Amino acid sequence: KYVGMNPVVVHGGGPHISATLKKLDVESHFHNGLRVTSQEAVRVVEMVLAGSVNKNIVSLINQAGGSALGLCGKDANLLHAKKVELPDGVDVGQVGQIETVNASILNVLCEAETIPVIAPIATDSEGQTWNVNADTAASEIAGALKAEKLVFMTDTPGLLRDVKELSSLIHQLKVSEIQELTDRGVIAGGMIPKVAACQNALEHGVQKAHIIDGRVTHALLLEIFTQSGLGTLVMH
């Protein structure tokens, strides 16, 4: 924000959700990188994401001198979703696929020098609660805003050809290479929704998508303002 960008933050909270579900003895598992979410689990997901995780991030930004406002997809009808239908027919419960994004509220906040911080909980016309994969939500929001960049901050250096070898980082990935790398198992696990989200954002008018290591100090500035960057740049 200080250097003139208008950041919109979309966050997940997987480890926090897993820990809380375990504590409350609510069963949960993953299928193709998506959390299978029962009616009972979605209440916990909403509590953790829209409650504690969202407000922690807002508080940290405000402490650092910014002005942040926390939202979830239910606020101002920001995110409307329908049930995800997977190609393999597996029912993943209350997992939503975003149909519409009300970008106008985000534009108002950005113009008011406020940083929106969004928990990826969506609703529908019946007021149901949908758990949306954070990467997918970020991609749809970036597309709706026609954002210049979509940046995924992860706990890995980026996309690696060999997960055991840090030097195998793929610095640039073309959309045309995604299918082949997925077939070869290079893009696997949690990287599947991330890379798919990059591709989706580019198809919806976002200029560039990045996957970077959020553990590196000033990772965002290094990726955007240095020639070499530090993660994987996904582009057409």
Side-chain angles (χ1 to χ4, degrees), residues 34 75 100 171 174 182 215:
L34 296 174
D75 296 307
T100 59
H171 292 281
K174 285 201 163 78
T182 305
R215 300 168 300 180

Side-chain angles (χ1 to χ4, degrees), residues 146-157:
K146 294 286 180 271
E148 191 68 30
K149 289 181 184 295
L150 170 62
V151 183
F152 291 106
M153 299 181 79
T154 69
D155 56 0
T156 61

Side-chain angles (χ1 to χ4, degrees), residues 22-166:
K22 195 174 176 186
K23 205 178 286 181
L24 298 174
D25 204 20
V26 178
E27 196 206 332
S28 176
H29 61 279
F30 284 86
H31 178 76
N32 283 358
L34 296 174
R35 184 186 298 275
V36 178
T37 310
S38 64
Q39 289 283 0
E40 191 181 6
V42 82
R43 285 194 288 273
V44 177
V45 169
E46 182 174 17
M47 177 181 78
V48 174
L49 282 182
S52 61
V53 176
N54 186 273
K55 297 311 168 216
N56 279 343
I57 295 170
V58 167
S59 177
L60 286 165
I61 293 172
N62 290 343
Q63 275 175 275
S67 172
L69 182 77
L71 302 162
C72 80
K74 291 182 173 182
D75 296 307
N77 281 318
L78 177 59
L79 304 175
H80 263 231
K82 63 176 184 179
K83 187 180 178 71
V84 160
E85 304 286 347
L86 294 182
D88 58 13
V90 171
D91 184 353
V92 287
Q94 293 297 114
V95 177
Q97 176 180 327
I98 293 176
E99 290 188 292
T100 59
V101 177
N102 174 17
S104 60
I105 185 70
L106 301 178
N107 288 321
V108 166
L109 290 171
C110 287
E111 282 164 24
E113 296 304 313
T114 301
I115 300 171
V117 179
I118 303 164
I121 297 290
T123 188
D124 59 22
S125 53
E126 271 125 52
Q128 288 192 84
T129 303
W130 296 99
N131 176 24
V132 179
N133 176 279
D135 300 327
T136 313
S139 156
E140 293 289 344
I141 292 165
L145 288 168
K146 294 286 180 271
E148 191 68 30
K149 289 181 184 295
L150 170 62
V151 183
F152 291 106
M153 299 181 79
T154 69
D155 56 0
T156 61
L159 180 62
L160 303 171
R161 282 192 190 278
D162 177 355
V163 288
K164 297 187 195 72
E165 195 50 68
L166 295 182

Side-chain angles (χ1 to χ4, degrees), residues 173-176 199 201-207 234-236:
L173 174 67
K174 285 201 163 78
V175 168
S176 56
Q199 183 171 1
L202 291 170
E203 285 166 2
H204 284 85
V206 175
Q207 297 300 309
V234 186
M235 55 188 191
H236 284 297

